[in-house]
Amino acid sequence: MRILITGAAGFLGSHLCDRFLAEGHEVIGMDNFLTGTRGNIEHLEGNPAFRFIEHDVTREIEIDGPLDGVLHFASPASPIDYLELPIQTLKVGSLGTHKTLGVAKAKRARYLLASTSEVYGDPQVHPQPESYWGHVNPIGPRGVYDEAKRFAEAMTMAYHRYHGVDTRIVRIFNTYGPRMRPEDGRVVSNFIVQALKGEPLTAYGSGQQTRSFCFVADEVDGIYRLFMSDYTNPVNIGNPDEFTILELARRVIELTGSQSSIDFRPLPEDDPKVRRPDISLARKVLGWEPTINLDEGLRRTIPYFRQVLSETGVIAAGR
Ligand code: NAD
Ligand code: UDP
């Protein structure tokens, strides 16, 4: 297959490029480096099955030749990023989704939208099944991301129903692993970087809020299976093992061997109190469930950050 992946220089997009290439497909990666880095795809330079186009997907997209698939992953994803980039976040979720759906329609390609657990907002149903419509504040600071993704889901279903585009929607729950930016502000990268630097880990609020963390290899496997399936309604892909933020902080301190303490900071506005995917549907229609638990995933992630921080001189080599 010949596949277009937007957000290819980002954390998830770059891992998806690797997976599609490993499965023998041809990949065109597209990104404007808003929150991604060239370093995430530099290992693909010279690979004849990979081509990169630097482009803002909110503008007209032109691709030469046929396409069999479009995966729309371009969007700031860390709360820190989308709070700093509110308009770009709204535009890439709305205009970018419209443009990429237009490409899929014109090329008769299958389309997969990267949606998010944030469509459930601060949920009043726990764990969250796909049938839950969510509890989102449209005008709060997180609304720029949540509503852009809800609009993107609606637009995807409209192209499916009205234009007959073959679509998929994945609702991704907190995913972590190598290639996250050390400064991207998400909790796993923050805690690992803080622990490696010997600085206090910053728990927001009481640290009693929960998240369910999925290692990137599991997440990408679920997304790949969904793309290859014929299931067109949204599917949750995430790890249902739920932890408080304080539990995560303790696991990171232990697994890095750090002496760091835990500091408490104000809770950001509208921060969801709980989050955990109900993955019954993914089990049933994709035969998918995660295989890598939190400790194992952290063990595979910590060396990446250790290397990045020592290469940039932030920590002494070998620490
Ligand atoms: P990321 O910030 O690492 O990657 C996003 C990429 O999109 C970046 O490379 C950025 O430069 C690119 N981009 C942004 N706007 C663009 C534009 N207008 N044109 C072209 N490229 C643009 O984030 P990520 O964690 O890899 O997330 C990827 C996707 O998965 C996003 O759509 C996000 O909403 C979704 N998602 C991720 C998670 C997670 O836990 N990582 C959870 C839920 C949903
Ligand atoms: N968080 C934290 N300390 C940090 C970064 C985040 O306590 O340094 C908390 C944040 O308030 C939220 C959870 O960790 O409750 C997950 O935050 P993240 O930014 O990773 O993503 P979210 O799930 O909120 O989209």
Side-chain angles (χ1 to χ4, degrees):
M1 286 182 148
R2 192 162 187 254
I3 308 288
L4 172 68
I5 299 180
T6 75
F11 164 52
L12 282 179
S14 65
H15 284 283
L16 271 175
C17 290
D18 289 350
R19 176 67 187 261
F20 274 86
L21 289 166
E23 299 283 347
H25 304 292
E26 196 184 327
V27 174
I28 302 169
M30 184 172 279
D31 206 292
N32 67 349
F33 300 113
L34 184 64
T35 58
T37 60
R38 278 183 201 278
N40 283 344
I41 44 170
E42 68 188 355
H43 61 288
L44 299 177
E45 269 172 34
N47 183 333
F50 181 73
R51 188 179 145 212
F52 180 74
I53 304 174
E54 184 172 347
H55 183 71
D56 176 346
V57 300
T58 66
R59 307 170 83 95
E60 201 68 32
I61 300 170
E62 279 181 41
I63 303 287
D64 292 335
L67 271 184
D68 305 293
V70 176
L71 289 93
H72 181 35
F73 276 69
S75 171
S78 158
I80 298 277
D81 286 340
Y82 59 74
L83 297 182
E84 275 176 14
L85 303 163
I87 313 286
Q88 287 97 324
T89 302
L90 281 159
K91 283 175 76 175
V92 76
S94 54
L95 305 179
T97 302
H98 184 223
K99 292 282 179 291
T100 51
L101 277 164
V103 172
K105 174 172 162 260
K107 303 278 185 184
R108 298 182 192 285
R110 185 175 300 165
Y111 184 87
L112 185 144
L113 172 71
S115 185
T116 167
S117 52
E118 283 280 326
V119 300
Y120 302 122
D122 188 8
Q124 294 174 316
V125 170
H126 193 68
Q128 294 80 55
E130 290 83 350
S131 55
Y132 178 47
W133 291 354
H135 180 230
V136 172
N137 174 5
I139 57 164
R142 296 175 87 103
V144 297
Y145 181 69
D146 302 11
E147 296 296 4
K149 291 290 185 181
R150 289 166 69 95
F151 173 91
E153 288 199 8
M155 183 69 110
T156 301
M157 291 312 290
Y159 266 66
H160 176 65
R161 294 195 183 106
Y162 188 74
H163 288 308
V165 175
D166 185 23
T167 58
R168 314 278 182 273
I169 296 174
V170 57
R171 291 188 179 149
I172 301 167
F173 283 65
N174 297 63
T175 301
Y176 68 97
R179 298 191 197 151
M180 294 179 91
R181 275 172 21 248
E183 70 286 5
D184 104 346
R186 284 180 272 195
V187 68
V188 175
S189 41
N190 267 10
F191 282 2
I192 294 177
V193 169
Q194 290 162 344
L196 291 174
K197 287 160 89 176
E199 293 174 355
L201 274 59
T202 52
Y204 300 161
S206 65
Q208 292 303 324
Q209 69 272 33
T210 68
R211 294 294 185 271
S212 308
F213 301 100
C214 189
F215 186 65
V216 62
D218 279 333
E219 186 69 43
V220 165
D221 187 50
I223 295 167
Y224 188 80
R225 286 182 195 222
L226 176 61
F227 182 79
M228 291 301 168
S229 78
D230 57 8
Y231 193 80
T232 56
N233 280 326
V235 180
N236 290 339
I237 298 287
N239 191 319
D241 291 345
E242 185 178 2
F243 296 86
T244 67
I245 294 307
L246 275 182
E247 284 168 338
L248 173 71
R250 291 191 194 108
R251 297 312 308 138
V252 170
I253 288 172
E254 185 179 327
L255 292 168
T256 50
S258 173
Q259 304 296 314
S260 290
S261 56
I262 300 174
D263 262 13
F264 292 89
R265 301 282 164 85
L267 188 68
E269 196 177 334
D270 292 339
D271 197 283
K273 287 179 264 316
V274 290
R275 181 179 294 154
R276 174 186 181 180
D278 179 334
I279 61 163
S280 316
L281 185 64
R283 283 197 175 102
K284 188 168 142 222
V285 299
L286 309 177
W288 176 87
E289 63 182 359
T291 57
I292 299 164
N293 68 25
L294 182 64
D295 277 13
E296 178 57 24
L298 290 174
R299 277 193 202 99
R300 294 192 196 187
T301 306
I302 290 164
Y304 169 80
F305 283 102
R306 195 169 262 139
Q307 191 187 336
V308 172
L309 294 182
S310 62
E311 274 170 9
T312 48
V314 176
I315 60 172
R319 179 161 174 172

PDB file of all heavy atoms in Angstrom, residues 85-117:
ATOM      1  N   LEU A  85      -0.518  26.894  21.711  1.00  0.00           N
ATOM      2  CA  LEU A  85      -0.817  26.947  20.277  1.00  0.00           C
ATOM      3  C   LEU A  85      -2.318  26.726  20.041  1.00  0.00           C
ATOM      4  O   LEU A  85      -2.706  25.832  19.290  1.00  0.00           O
ATOM      5  CB  LEU A  85      -0.026  25.837  19.543  1.00  0.00           C
ATOM      6  CG  LEU A  85       1.488  25.847  19.708  1.00  0.00           C
ATOM      7  CD1 LEU A  85       2.104  24.497  19.289  1.00  0.00           C
ATOM      8  CD2 LEU A  85       2.096  26.966  18.867  1.00  0.00           C
ATOM      9  N   PRO A  86      -3.168  27.538  20.704  1.00  0.00           N
ATOM     10  CA  PRO A  86      -4.607  27.226  20.629  1.00  0.00           C
ATOM     11  C   PRO A  86      -5.187  27.310  19.221  1.00  0.00           C
ATOM     12  O   PRO A  86      -5.979  26.452  18.826  1.00  0.00           O
ATOM     13  CB  PRO A  86      -5.248  28.265  21.566  1.00  0.00           C
ATOM     14  CG  PRO A  86      -4.251  29.365  21.686  1.00  0.00           C
ATOM     15  CD  PRO A  86      -2.903  28.725  21.538  1.00  0.00           C
ATOM     16  N   ILE A  87      -4.767  28.336  18.460  1.00  0.00           N
ATOM     17  CA  ILE A  87      -5.377  28.517  17.123  1.00  0.00           C
ATOM     18  C   ILE A  87      -4.876  27.427  16.171  1.00  0.00           C
ATOM     19  O   ILE A  87      -5.657  26.826  15.426  1.00  0.00           O
ATOM     20  CB  ILE A  87      -5.047  29.918  16.539  1.00  0.00           C
ATOM     21  CG1 ILE A  87      -5.276  31.022  17.580  1.00  0.00           C
ATOM     22  CG2 ILE A  87      -5.834  30.168  15.255  1.00  0.00           C
ATOM     23  CD1 ILE A  87      -6.694  31.385  17.889  1.00  0.00           C
ATOM     24  N   GLN A  88      -3.543  27.151  16.232  1.00  0.00           N
ATOM     25  CA  GLN A  88      -3.005  26.082  15.370  1.00  0.00           C
ATOM     26  C   GLN A  88      -3.666  24.742  15.691  1.00  0.00           C
ATOM     27  O   GLN A  88      -3.903  23.928  14.795  1.00  0.00           O
ATOM     28  CB  GLN A  88      -1.491  25.940  15.560  1.00  0.00           C
ATOM     29  CG  GLN A  88      -0.677  27.053  14.937  1.00  0.00           C
ATOM     30  CD  GLN A  88      -0.324  28.123  15.960  1.00  0.00           C
ATOM     31  OE1 GLN A  88      -1.120  28.430  16.851  1.00  0.00           O
ATOM     32  NE2 GLN A  88       0.848  28.693  15.827  1.00  0.00           N
ATOM     33  N   THR A  89      -3.963  24.520  16.972  1.00  0.00           N
ATOM     34  CA  THR A  89      -4.586  23.252  17.369  1.00  0.00           C
ATOM     35  C   THR A  89      -5.994  23.154  16.789  1.00  0.00           C
ATOM     36  O   THR A  89      -6.383  22.117  16.225  1.00  0.00           O
ATOM     37  CB  THR A  89      -4.623  23.146  18.912  1.00  0.00           C
ATOM     38  OG1 THR A  89      -3.282  23.255  19.390  1.00  0.00           O
ATOM     39  CG2 THR A  89      -5.229  21.839  19.374  1.00  0.00           C
ATOM     40  N   LEU A  90      -6.758  24.243  16.910  1.00  0.00           N
ATOM     41  CA  LEU A  90      -8.106  24.243  16.329  1.00  0.00           C
ATOM     42  C   LEU A  90      -8.045  24.083  14.811  1.00  0.00           C
ATOM     43  O   LEU A  90      -8.867  23.384  14.214  1.00  0.00           O
ATOM     44  CB  LEU A  90      -8.825  25.551  16.693  1.00  0.00           C
ATOM     45  CG  LEU A  90      -9.386  25.589  18.112  1.00  0.00           C
ATOM     46  CD1 LEU A  90      -9.603  27.031  18.580  1.00  0.00           C
ATOM     47  CD2 LEU A  90     -10.705  24.820  18.186  1.00  0.00           C
ATOM     48  N   LYS A  91      -7.048  24.747  14.178  1.00  0.00           N
ATOM     49  CA  LYS A  91      -6.975  24.689  12.715  1.00  0.00           C
ATOM     50  C   LYS A  91      -6.575  23.303  12.217  1.00  0.00           C
ATOM     51  O   LYS A  91      -7.124  22.807  11.233  1.00  0.00           O
ATOM     52  CB  LYS A  91      -5.986  25.745  12.195  1.00  0.00           C
ATOM     53  CG  LYS A  91      -6.578  27.145  12.216  1.00  0.00           C
ATOM     54  CD  LYS A  91      -5.573  28.202  11.816  1.00  0.00           C
ATOM     55  CE  LYS A  91      -5.335  28.213  10.324  1.00  0.00           C
ATOM     56  NZ  LYS A  91      -4.435  29.324   9.931  1.00  0.00           N
ATOM     57  N   VAL A  92      -5.634  22.672  12.883  1.00  0.00           N
ATOM     58  CA  VAL A  92      -5.185  21.361  12.368  1.00  0.00           C
ATOM     59  C   VAL A  92      -6.258  20.300  12.594  1.00  0.00           C
ATOM     60  O   VAL A  92      -6.427  19.381  11.794  1.00  0.00           O
ATOM     61  CB  VAL A  92      -3.800  20.970  12.941  1.00  0.00           C
ATOM     62  CG1 VAL A  92      -3.884  20.493  14.387  1.00  0.00           C
ATOM     63  CG2 VAL A  92      -3.132  19.922  12.064  1.00  0.00           C
ATOM     64  N   GLY A  93      -7.049  20.462  13.671  1.00  0.00           N
ATOM     65  CA  GLY A  93      -8.135  19.511  13.916  1.00  0.00           C
ATOM     66  C   GLY A  93      -9.324  19.729  12.984  1.00  0.00           C
ATOM     67  O   GLY A  93     -10.041  18.788  12.645  1.00  0.00           O
ATOM     68  N   SER A  94      -9.545  20.973  12.574  1.00  0.00           N
ATOM     69  CA  SER A  94     -10.704  21.266  11.705  1.00  0.00           C
ATOM     70  C   SER A  94     -10.262  21.337  10.245  1.00  0.00           C
ATOM     71  O   SER A  94     -10.551  20.426   9.455  1.00  0.00           O
ATOM     72  CB  SER A  94     -11.363  22.572  12.157  1.00  0.00           C
ATOM     73  OG  SER A  94     -10.410  23.626  12.204  1.00  0.00           O
ATOM     74  N   LEU A  95      -9.500  22.399   9.883  1.00  0.00           N
ATOM     75  CA  LEU A  95      -9.082  22.557   8.481  1.00  0.00           C
ATOM     76  C   LEU A  95      -8.199  21.390   8.035  1.00  0.00           C
ATOM     77  O   LEU A  95      -8.328  20.897   6.910  1.00  0.00           O
ATOM     78  CB  LEU A  95      -8.305  23.874   8.297  1.00  0.00           C
ATOM     79  CG  LEU A  95      -9.004  25.160   8.756  1.00  0.00           C
ATOM     80  CD1 LEU A  95      -8.109  26.373   8.532  1.00  0.00           C
ATOM     81  CD2 LEU A  95     -10.319  25.327   8.022  1.00  0.00           C
ATOM     82  N   GLY A  96      -7.291  20.951   8.921  1.00  0.00           N
ATOM     83  CA  GLY A  96      -6.378  19.847   8.568  1.00  0.00           C
ATOM     84  C   GLY A  96      -7.137  18.544   8.349  1.00  0.00           C
ATOM     85  O   GLY A  96      -6.807  17.763   7.447  1.00  0.00           O
ATOM     86  N   THR A  97      -8.163  18.315   9.149  1.00  0.00           N
ATOM     87  CA  THR A  97      -8.974  17.110   8.958  1.00  0.00           C
ATOM     88  C   THR A  97      -9.751  17.207   7.646  1.00  0.00           C
ATOM     89  O   THR A  97      -9.837  16.235   6.884  1.00  0.00           O
ATOM     90  CB  THR A  97      -9.928  16.916  10.162  1.00  0.00           C
ATOM     91  OG1 THR A  97      -9.127  16.831  11.342  1.00  0.00           O
ATOM     92  CG2 THR A  97     -10.768  15.662  10.020  1.00  0.00           C
ATOM     93  N   HIS A  98     -10.283  18.403   7.356  1.00  0.00           N
ATOM     94  CA  HIS A  98     -11.020  18.605   6.100  1.00  0.00           C
ATOM     95  C   HIS A  98     -10.109  18.350   4.898  1.00  0.00           C
ATOM     96  O   HIS A  98     -10.472  17.617   3.964  1.00  0.00           O
ATOM     97  CB  HIS A  98     -11.581  20.032   6.076  1.00  0.00           C
ATOM     98  CG  HIS A  98     -12.421  20.314   4.885  1.00  0.00           C
ATOM     99  ND1 HIS A  98     -12.348  21.485   4.170  1.00  0.00           N
ATOM    100  CD2 HIS A  98     -13.351  19.555   4.246  1.00  0.00           C
ATOM    101  CE1 HIS A  98     -13.192  21.451   3.166  1.00  0.00           C
ATOM    102  NE2 HIS A  98     -13.816  20.290   3.188  1.00  0.00           N
ATOM    103  N   LYS A  99      -8.893  18.927   4.933  1.00  0.00           N
ATOM    104  CA  LYS A  99      -7.966  18.778   3.796  1.00  0.00           C
ATOM    105  C   LYS A  99      -7.553  17.314   3.621  1.00  0.00           C
ATOM    106  O   LYS A  99      -7.496  16.804   2.500  1.00  0.00           O
ATOM    107  CB  LYS A  99      -6.703  19.620   4.022  1.00  0.00           C
ATOM    108  CG  LYS A  99      -6.925  21.111   3.974  1.00  0.00           C
ATOM    109  CD  LYS A  99      -7.051  21.610   2.537  1.00  0.00           C
ATOM    110  CE  LYS A  99      -7.290  23.102   2.472  1.00  0.00           C
ATOM    111  NZ  LYS A  99      -8.617  23.532   2.962  1.00  0.00           N
ATOM    112  N   THR A 100      -7.244  16.642   4.714  1.00  0.00           N
ATOM    113  CA  THR A 100      -6.769  15.251   4.589  1.00  0.00           C
ATOM    114  C   THR A 100      -7.914  14.324   4.170  1.00  0.00           C
ATOM    115  O   THR A 100      -7.693  13.376   3.413  1.00  0.00           O
ATOM    116  CB  THR A 100      -6.105  14.770   5.905  1.00  0.00           C
ATOM    117  OG1 THR A 100      -6.986  15.037   7.006  1.00  0.00           O
ATOM    118  CG2 THR A 100      -4.771  15.468   6.139  1.00  0.00           C
ATOM    119  N   LEU A 101      -9.135  14.620   4.627  1.00  0.00           N
ATOM    120  CA  LEU A 101     -10.284  13.831   4.148  1.00  0.00           C
ATOM    121  C   LEU A 101     -10.493  14.052   2.656  1.00  0.00           C
ATOM    122  O   LEU A 101     -10.842  13.115   1.921  1.00  0.00           O
ATOM    123  CB  LEU A 101     -11.556  14.211   4.920  1.00  0.00           C
ATOM    124  CG  LEU A 101     -11.740  13.520   6.268  1.00  0.00           C
ATOM    125  CD1 LEU A 101     -12.784  14.247   7.115  1.00  0.00           C
ATOM    126  CD2 LEU A 101     -12.129  12.041   6.101  1.00  0.00           C
ATOM    127  N   GLY A 102     -10.260  15.298   2.218  1.00  0.00           N
ATOM    128  CA  GLY A 102     -10.386  15.602   0.789  1.00  0.00           C
ATOM    129  C   GLY A 102      -9.397  14.795  -0.037  1.00  0.00           C
ATOM    130  O   GLY A 102      -9.742  14.291  -1.124  1.00  0.00           O
ATOM    131  N   VAL A 103      -8.180  14.641   0.477  1.00  0.00           N
ATOM    132  CA  VAL A 103      -7.169  13.831  -0.224  1.00  0.00           C
ATOM    133  C   VAL A 103      -7.650  12.376  -0.298  1.00  0.00           C
ATOM    134  O   VAL A 103      -7.597  11.738  -1.362  1.00  0.00           O
ATOM    135  CB  VAL A 103      -5.801  13.906   0.502  1.00  0.00           C
ATOM    136  CG1 VAL A 103      -4.809  12.922  -0.109  1.00  0.00           C
ATOM    137  CG2 VAL A 103      -5.244  15.315   0.453  1.00  0.00           C
ATOM    138  N   ALA A 104      -8.140  11.857   0.828  1.00  0.00           N
ATOM    139  CA  ALA A 104      -8.590  10.455   0.859  1.00  0.00           C
ATOM    140  C   ALA A 104      -9.746  10.241  -0.131  1.00  0.00           C
ATOM    141  O   ALA A 104      -9.801   9.230  -0.847  1.00  0.00           O
ATOM    142  CB  ALA A 104      -9.030  10.074   2.275  1.00  0.00           C
ATOM    143  N   LYS A 105     -10.650  11.198  -0.193  1.00  0.00           N
ATOM    144  CA  LYS A 105     -11.797  11.091  -1.115  1.00  0.00           C
ATOM    145  C   LYS A 105     -11.314  11.092  -2.564  1.00  0.00           C
ATOM    146  O   LYS A 105     -11.713  10.240  -3.367  1.00  0.00           O
ATOM    147  CB  LYS A 105     -12.746  12.251  -0.843  1.00  0.00           C
ATOM    148  CG  LYS A 105     -13.908  12.370  -1.805  1.00  0.00           C
ATOM    149  CD  LYS A 105     -14.874  13.450  -1.299  1.00  0.00           C
ATOM    150  CE  LYS A 105     -15.794  13.921  -2.399  1.00  0.00           C
ATOM    151  NZ  LYS A 105     -15.352  15.188  -3.002  1.00  0.00           N
ATOM    152  N   ALA A 106     -10.434  12.053  -2.885  1.00  0.00           N
ATOM    153  CA  ALA A 106      -9.955  12.180  -4.270  1.00  0.00           C
ATOM    154  C   ALA A 106      -9.179  10.936  -4.710  1.00  0.00           C
ATOM    155  O   ALA A 106      -9.251  10.519  -5.865  1.00  0.00           O
ATOM    156  CB  ALA A 106      -9.077  13.425  -4.397  1.00  0.00           C
ATOM    157  N   LYS A 107      -8.416  10.353  -3.779  1.00  0.00           N
ATOM    158  CA  LYS A 107      -7.559   9.211  -4.134  1.00  0.00           C
ATOM    159  C   LYS A 107      -8.253   7.873  -3.877  1.00  0.00           C
ATOM    160  O   LYS A 107      -7.646   6.823  -4.046  1.00  0.00           O
ATOM    161  CB  LYS A 107      -6.260   9.250  -3.299  1.00  0.00           C
ATOM    162  CG  LYS A 107      -5.447  10.531  -3.428  1.00  0.00           C
ATOM    163  CD  LYS A 107      -4.584  10.526  -4.662  1.00  0.00           C
ATOM    164  CE  LYS A 107      -3.683  11.757  -4.728  1.00  0.00           C
ATOM    165  NZ  LYS A 107      -2.907  11.838  -5.955  1.00  0.00           N
ATOM    166  N   ARG A 108      -9.480   7.911  -3.387  1.00  0.00           N
ATOM    167  CA  ARG A 108     -10.194   6.688  -2.978  1.00  0.00           C
ATOM    168  C   ARG A 108      -9.354   5.871  -1.991  1.00  0.00           C
ATOM    169  O   ARG A 108      -9.228   4.647  -2.098  1.00  0.00           O
ATOM    170  CB  ARG A 108     -10.567   5.827  -4.186  1.00  0.00           C
ATOM    171  CG  ARG A 108     -11.509   6.537  -5.119  1.00  0.00           C
ATOM    172  CD  ARG A 108     -11.898   5.647  -6.287  1.00  0.00           C
ATOM    173  NE  ARG A 108     -12.579   6.412  -7.316  1.00  0.00           N
ATOM    174  CZ  ARG A 108     -13.830   6.851  -7.245  1.00  0.00           C
ATOM    175  NH1 ARG A 108     -14.553   6.580  -6.191  1.00  0.00           N
ATOM    176  NH2 ARG A 108     -14.356   7.546  -8.220  1.00  0.00           N
ATOM    177  N   ALA A 109      -8.783   6.593  -1.046  1.00  0.00           N
ATOM    178  CA  ALA A 109      -7.906   5.950  -0.048  1.00  0.00           C
ATOM    179  C   ALA A 109      -8.661   5.750   1.265  1.00  0.00           C
ATOM    180  O   ALA A 109      -9.588   6.507   1.577  1.00  0.00           O
ATOM    181  CB  ALA A 109      -6.680   6.832   0.201  1.00  0.00           C
ATOM    182  N   ARG A 110      -8.263   4.759   2.032  1.00  0.00           N
ATOM    183  CA  ARG A 110      -8.799   4.569   3.383  1.00  0.00           C
ATOM    184  C   ARG A 110      -8.271   5.686   4.271  1.00  0.00           C
ATOM    185  O   ARG A 110      -7.138   6.136   4.090  1.00  0.00           O
ATOM    186  CB  ARG A 110      -8.332   3.204   3.910  1.00  0.00           C
ATOM    187  CG  ARG A 110      -8.918   2.843   5.238  1.00  0.00           C
ATOM    188  CD  ARG A 110      -8.494   1.445   5.625  1.00  0.00           C
ATOM    189  NE  ARG A 110      -8.947   0.466   4.640  1.00  0.00           N
ATOM    190  CZ  ARG A 110      -8.488  -0.785   4.569  1.00  0.00           C
ATOM    191  NH1 ARG A 110      -7.573  -1.205   5.419  1.00  0.00           N
ATOM    192  NH2 ARG A 110      -8.934  -1.607   3.656  1.00  0.00           N
ATOM    193  N   TYR A 111      -9.073   6.119   5.252  1.00  0.00           N
ATOM    194  CA  TYR A 111      -8.690   7.262   6.104  1.00  0.00           C
ATOM    195  C   TYR A 111      -8.761   6.849   7.562  1.00  0.00           C
ATOM    196  O   TYR A 111      -9.731   6.230   7.994  1.00  0.00           O
ATOM    197  CB  TYR A 111      -9.671   8.408   5.861  1.00  0.00           C
ATOM    198  CG  TYR A 111      -9.342   9.683   6.601  1.00  0.00           C
ATOM    199  CD1 TYR A 111      -8.488  10.626   6.048  1.00  0.00           C
ATOM    200  CD2 TYR A 111      -9.896   9.949   7.851  1.00  0.00           C
ATOM    201  CE1 TYR A 111      -8.181  11.803   6.724  1.00  0.00           C
ATOM    202  CE2 TYR A 111      -9.595  11.128   8.524  1.00  0.00           C
ATOM    203  CZ  TYR A 111      -8.746  12.057   7.953  1.00  0.00           C
ATOM    204  OH  TYR A 111      -8.443  13.217   8.615  1.00  0.00           O
ATOM    205  N   LEU A 112      -7.711   7.196   8.334  1.00  0.00           N
ATOM    206  CA  LEU A 112      -7.763   6.957   9.783  1.00  0.00           C
ATOM    207  C   LEU A 112      -7.473   8.256  10.515  1.00  0.00           C
ATOM    208  O   LEU A 112      -6.443   8.894  10.277  1.00  0.00           O
ATOM    209  CB  LEU A 112      -6.761   5.878  10.196  1.00  0.00           C
ATOM    210  CG  LEU A 112      -6.828   5.465  11.682  1.00  0.00           C
ATOM    211  CD1 LEU A 112      -6.562   3.967  11.861  1.00  0.00           C
ATOM    212  CD2 LEU A 112      -5.849   6.262  12.554  1.00  0.00           C
ATOM    213  N   LEU A 113      -8.395   8.625  11.401  1.00  0.00           N
ATOM    214  CA  LEU A 113      -8.242   9.842  12.215  1.00  0.00           C
ATOM    215  C   LEU A 113      -7.676   9.480  13.589  1.00  0.00           C
ATOM    216  O   LEU A 113      -8.208   8.606  14.279  1.00  0.00           O
ATOM    217  CB  LEU A 113      -9.607  10.509  12.419  1.00  0.00           C
ATOM    218  CG  LEU A 113      -9.601  11.689  13.416  1.00  0.00           C
ATOM    219  CD1 LEU A 113      -8.882  12.899  12.838  1.00  0.00           C
ATOM    220  CD2 LEU A 113     -11.023  12.049  13.832  1.00  0.00           C
ATOM    221  N   ALA A 114      -6.627  10.218  13.998  1.00  0.00           N
ATOM    222  CA  ALA A 114      -6.124  10.104  15.376  1.00  0.00           C
ATOM    223  C   ALA A 114      -6.999  10.974  16.261  1.00  0.00           C
ATOM    224  O   ALA A 114      -6.856  12.194  16.295  1.00  0.00           O
ATOM    225  CB  ALA A 114      -4.674  10.564  15.442  1.00  0.00           C
ATOM    226  N   SER A 115      -7.948  10.359  16.963  1.00  0.00           N
ATOM    227  CA  SER A 115      -8.738  11.081  17.955  1.00  0.00           C
ATOM    228  C   SER A 115      -8.142  10.777  19.338  1.00  0.00           C
ATOM    229  O   SER A 115      -7.016  10.268  19.436  1.00  0.00           O
ATOM    230  CB  SER A 115     -10.212  10.700  17.853  1.00  0.00           C
ATOM    231  OG  SER A 115     -10.970  11.494  18.744  1.00  0.00           O
ATOM    232  N   THR A 116      -8.878  11.071  20.366  1.00  0.00           N
ATOM    233  CA  THR A 116      -8.265  11.070  21.697  1.00  0.00           C
ATOM    234  C   THR A 116      -9.286  10.776  22.793  1.00  0.00           C
ATOM    235  O   THR A 116     -10.485  11.044  22.637  1.00  0.00           O
ATOM    236  CB  THR A 116      -7.632  12.454  21.956  1.00  0.00           C
ATOM    237  OG1 THR A 116      -7.301  12.568  23.340  1.00  0.00           O
ATOM    238  CG2 THR A 116      -8.578  13.599  21.621  1.00  0.00           C
ATOM    239  N   SER A 117      -8.784  10.301  23.914  1.00  0.00           N
ATOM    240  CA  SER A 117      -9.617  10.131  25.106  1.00  0.00           C
ATOM    241  C   SER A 117     -10.162  11.473  25.592  1.00  0.00           C
ATOM    242  O   SER A 117     -11.117  11.500  26.368  1.00  0.00           O
ATOM    243  CB  SER A 117      -8.782   9.496  26.215  1.00  0.00           C
ATOM    244  OG  SER A 117      -7.580  10.221  26.403  1.00  0.00           O
TER     245      SER A 117
END
